Amino acid sequence: MNLRERDKKHLWHPLTQHKTHGDMLPVAKAIGALLFDDQGNEYIDGIASWYVAMYGHCNPYITDRVASQMQQLDQVVFSGFTHEPAIRMSEALMEILPDNQQKLFFSDNGSTAVEVGVKMALQYHFNKGEKRNVLIAFEEGFHGDTFGAMSVSGLSIYNGPFEDLLIQVERIPAPDGNNNEGVLSQLNNLIAKGNVAGFVYEPLVQGAAAMKMHDAEGLDELIAFCHEHDVVTVADEVMTGFGKTGEYFASDHLEHKPDIMCLSKALTAGLLPMAITSCSLKIFDAFYSDELSKGFFHGHTYSANPLACAAALAGIELLQSEEMKHNIHRVTASHQRFDKHIRQHPKVASTRQLGVIYAIDLNVEMQRYGNLRDKLFNFYMENGVFLRPLGNTIYILPPYVITGQQLQQVYEVIEASLEIL
Ligand SMILES: *Cc1c(COP(=O)(O)O)cnc(C)c1O
């Protein structure tokens, strides 16, 4: 039996309806911006394997550091113990996080980073003796698949069977520059009820909503308003973090900084699963007490795994290097040139870009959604490019180290795909 057949025997894949899904593609190797399947075919990884492998796959700068850490300390309990990889990584992360972020709490993935953020926001008020248990979030937000994260997510395909069991969340539209005043007044009305604990948002770019982008000024006003009313602001930077928007974090584009930030994708340079929920001293201080029960009783077995911390430290060093900054500028400028070229195409309805994130909305009817997605996906793969179109949106979020030639191939294949619509 080949790998495709053996896969079907025991494996249950994420986000998959197995009855209608075809065979899974065995991937044997990855290097830089390239993936290789078991037949030796190569594919350009146009979405950095879900926005994680930003410095390239199997980057030796990262893998060497993890390999040497592996000889020293593999894993240890992070309650009662600490270790140098976590401490050094925390110091490096502090250099690039907004100044108000002062404490780092570890977990394993983006969903748990948000879960922790949500629980911190709720317990912050509980510890202060206030009964606030409602959260505010954007329509079409995506924050992960655990219950708290799922509650704040607004994409119904994920939530259907669990809707009755979720935390109470009120939804507001993302500000688009035209509706800012209306959104702010909705927020005002919700907060006036006195039971809002926190506001959870993907800053500037809603990834799973197909890279939907919103207005920075409008978001800034919402955050400022929350701060005035002691509503805890939780920026889910799981997708936007670590340089993708052209700044270290999307929150760097904004004047008002969040109380809490959720980080995961790209944190460990795509090598190992780890997440961090960072917070300001205002949040931390609400848990700092002589009373044991005011502490944050949440903990994951693999918190601050030393290998993941070593990978993260190496990744942050790369992100700060002139070479990587140059790469980010290069990819950003390249997207801008492609955009000028493709924007007028009759099959293109609109385009948008922030940093290395670039999206095209297609001028096609949404009814043929399911088919269209598969048709485009297959066309890209047949032409050596891995992209995952969403609805009627095609987007690129390539590793920073993608070469000019590889990027050109991605653009050419996207342009060619407009002809098969
Ligand atoms: C991917 C993602 C998550 C969930 O992260 P997982 O590691 O898949 O659990 C949460 N929020 C945002 C914005 C994401 O893009």
Side-chain angles (χ1 to χ4, degrees), residues 51 109-111 114 142-144 202 236 238-239 264-265:
Y51 339 132
N109 59 69
S111 305
V114 172
F142 177 73
H143 300 287
E202 290 166 275
D236 177 354
V238 170
M239 198 283 292
S264 182
K265 290 178 177 134

Side-chain angles (χ1 to χ4, degrees), residues 59-198:
N59 185 326
Y61 189 81
I62 316 279
T63 53
D64 287 354
R65 294 273 285 273
V66 173
S68 83
Q69 179 59 43
M70 209 177 266
Q71 313 301 317
Q72 193 66 35
L73 175 67
D74 52 356
Q75 163 65 12
V76 71
V77 167
F78 203 61
S79 297
F81 295 128
T82 191
H83 48 73
E84 195 174 342
I87 293 165
R88 286 184 59 197
M89 194 278 294
S90 71
E91 291 161 354
L93 188 54
M94 281 303 156
E95 282 177 27
I96 62 170
L97 278 174
D99 291 341
N100 75 329
Q101 300 299 301
Q102 288 296 318
K103 296 285 177 178
L104 308 178
F105 190 92
F106 289 91
S107 63
D108 307 325
N109 59 69
S111 305
T112 55
V114 172
E115 202 73 26
V116 165
V118 163
K119 286 176 70 173
M120 279 180 178
L122 293 168
Q123 192 179 338
Y124 167 84
H125 295 289
F126 182 89
N127 283 0
K128 291 175 62 176
E130 282 189 48
K131 190 159 169 43
R132 297 206 200 184
N133 52 15
V134 175
L135 296 168
I136 294 177
F138 283 145
E139 290 166 2
E140 292 190 273
F142 177 73
H143 300 287
D145 296 336
T146 54
F147 264 83
M150 191 166 56
S151 299
V152 281
S153 296
L155 293 164
S156 55
I157 182 162
Y158 291 88
N159 293 357
F162 315 107
E163 217 111 79
D164 294 345
L165 306 169
L166 302 177
I167 301 171
Q168 194 185 338
V169 173
E170 299 288 347
R171 255 167 243 298
I172 56 174
D176 62 12
N178 297 315
N179 66 356
N180 291 10
E181 227 173 287
V183 178
L184 185 60
S185 102
Q186 278 188 51
L187 182 78
N188 185 352
N189 292 340
L190 291 169
I191 289 178
K193 294 177 187 164
N195 58 1
V196 174

